[in-house]
Amino acid sequence: MFIEILQAGTGDSIWISHNKKNIVIDGGKSTTAIRNRYDQMPQDEIIDLLVVTHIDSDHIAGIIALIKHMKKAGETHRLKQIWFNFPKKEDIDEYSVPEGNELTSLLLEIDGLCWNNNTSELLGSTTEVGDIKLHVLAPDHDVAYEYKPKEPDELGACSDDWHIDLRTLIDNVDDDDLDEGGANSQSIIILAECEGKKILLPGDSTPKVLCDALQYYNKTNGTPLELDLMKLPHHGSTRNVTKNIIDEIKCSNFIISTKKNKKYYFPNKETIAKLIRYRESADKAINVYFNYQESLDILGITADELKKNNINLNVCNGFRI
């Protein structure tokens, strides 16, 4: 299984491929990366499953561009199935997010498209895309007709912690200020499994939703979830990573997907501090992978700090596991 974390600006765009099967999760803010990746797909392959985790622009803009790109090329038949928790109607007044309505209009024009707009029905079951098994962990109820905030930015911005000493952040981390609602809380959380390897892809999920989903999964399976790779939610925001979440998983390899974001100061340096502070044992190294060099560089973490805290920070866009 090959996982690509596309350079899609300040958003998420993930392309999973294995044995000629393709799963695309979100399209990012920048639309070039996903269109270029689609053009590289062999002609005898299709997008077997397209997932829009939630309706924020930094996840959906690239999907709109991709569908338009496929439509222009006369290739919308190469899209087999979509998971998108949004009404299958064009005249829904209670929705104020234009991207959701625009994507809906485009999808309604595709003949034969299988569209699931209530992924909560998939909880407890397994969806197989070739050899890849997908488990939806959240949302746990139908969110398609729930109110979406007019301004996703109302979720709040973090202050700049890029220039704070890492030791200071480690000694003072807390989970007092967290992301609590809005569209992020409706993110589709996916556990992907292939040939014994497991990857957690939580979109921008809020801490409560993600923690509840992990606790339920662990209770059902009787053991903490062991992961080979986890994408940290919400582009490395410290407001979306908590001790409770780290306690529910066993994982040493994390991904942060975002271009340096000067508005929200993503990725937050405190997120790295939390991974160090909350881990089960300092003896096992933590590996964090960024899909942009500038997102790593802005943190200003020195080689000496990395060694002292047994953590590795690298730039990588592709993972074969």
Side-chain angles (χ1 to χ4, degrees):
M1 179 168 56
F2 191 60
I3 300 95
E4 299 168 75
I5 311 298
L6 303 183
Q7 289 190 331
T10 54
D12 279 0
S13 187
I14 301 168
W15 195 294
I16 302 174
S17 54
H18 183 71
N19 289 343
K20 294 186 174 295
K21 297 293 183 179
N22 296 278
I23 300 169
V24 180
I25 302 176
D26 291 330
K29 184 76 171 179
S30 173
T31 63
T32 303
I34 192 167
R35 286 185 282 119
N36 288 346
R37 179 59 182 86
Y38 171 79
D39 289 339
Q40 295 168 12
M41 188 170 66
Q43 282 298 314
D44 63 341
E45 297 181 18
I46 64 171
I47 298 176
D48 297 273
L49 174 63
L50 175 62
V51 180
V52 182
T53 60
H54 62 296
I55 50 114
D56 280 349
S57 182
D58 57 340
H59 293 253
I60 198 174
I63 299 299
I64 293 172
L66 173 63
I67 300 300
K68 288 181 176 179
H69 183 64
M70 295 175 70
K71 183 178 180 181
K72 184 177 181 180
E75 296 182 349
T76 53
H77 62 279
R78 299 182 74 192
L79 174 58
K80 181 179 180 180
Q81 182 180 184
I82 184 167
W83 294 352
F84 176 39
N85 291 329
F86 202 84
K88 300 178 183 180
K89 298 179 181 179
E90 299 179 74
D91 56 349
I92 302 299
D93 294 334
E94 56 264 47
Y95 283 84
S96 56
V97 179
E99 289 92 347
N101 289 321
E102 183 176 4
L103 181 56
T104 292
S105 298
L106 291 169
L107 296 178
L108 289 172
E109 296 174 354
I110 301 177
D111 293 333
L113 177 66
C114 179
W115 176 0
N116 184 326
N117 75 328
N118 182 12
T119 55
S120 65
E121 295 177 344
L122 299 175
L123 265 69
S125 63
T126 300
T127 299
E128 296 186 2
V129 180
D131 296 325
I132 303 173
K133 297 179 180 179
L134 302 177
H135 311 275
V136 173
L137 306 188
D140 62 2
H141 63 287
D142 185 2
V143 302
Y145 287 89
E146 285 187 352
Y147 170 74
K148 305 288 192 303
K150 185 174 183 180
E151 295 292 342
D153 295 343
E154 73 190 28
L155 300 177
C158 294
S159 58
D160 179 4
D161 66 2
W162 290 337
H163 305 295
I164 300 176
D165 178 76
L166 181 61
R167 185 73 255 168
T168 300
L169 290 172
I170 294 172
D171 291 340
N172 293 278
V173 293
D174 60 55
D175 296 331
D176 294 340
D177 179 24
L178 300 178
D179 185 356
E180 296 181 349
N184 285 354
S185 66
Q186 300 170 344
S187 290
I188 300 173
I189 301 175
I190 293 175
L191 176 64
E193 184 176 2
C194 184
E195 298 177 347
K197 304 294 185 178
K198 294 181 180 179
I199 308 166
L200 185 62
L201 302 168
D204 281 0
S205 181
T206 54
K208 185 181 187 310
V209 172
L210 178 55
C211 187
D212 287 350
L214 289 172
Q215 288 177 344
Y216 181 80
Y217 181 90
N218 290 338
K219 182 179 180 180
T220 302
N221 291 274
T223 181
L225 177 58
E226 293 192 33
L227 298 167
D228 296 277
L229 196 62
M230 174 183 177
K231 187 194 79 71
L232 291 173
H234 205 192
H235 322 294
S237 169
T238 186
R239 300 177 72 235
N240 295 71
V241 176
T242 66
K243 185 178 186 303
N244 289 339
I245 290 171
I246 300 301
D247 286 347
E248 292 296 328
I249 60 172
K250 291 185 176 181
C251 184
S252 300
N253 303 303
F254 301 91
I255 298 169
I256 291 179
S257 172
T258 185
K259 187 177 182 180
K260 179 179 67 177
N261 189 320
K262 295 180 180 179
K263 181 175 183 180
Y264 298 110
Y265 302 105
F266 293 162
N268 296 141
K269 193 172 182 177
E270 187 180 45
T271 300
I272 304 300
K274 285 186 173 184
L275 294 178
I276 295 169
R277 178 74 176 272
Y278 295 155
R279 66 182 164 188
E280 184 178 4
S281 172
D283 294 333
K284 192 169 185 179
I286 299 171
N287 303 297
V288 183
Y289 301 95
F290 300 77
N291 65 334
Y292 280 92
Q293 183 70 50
E294 64 183 69
S295 297
L296 168 55
D297 292 343
I298 196 62
L299 300 181
I301 299 175
T302 67
D304 185 53
E305 288 174 319
L306 295 175
K307 184 177 180 180
K308 284 182 178 179
N309 293 287
N310 200 13
I311 186 169
N312 303 303
L313 307 182
N314 300 283
V315 176
C316 185
N317 298 90
F319 305 85
R320 189 173 297 282
I321 65 172

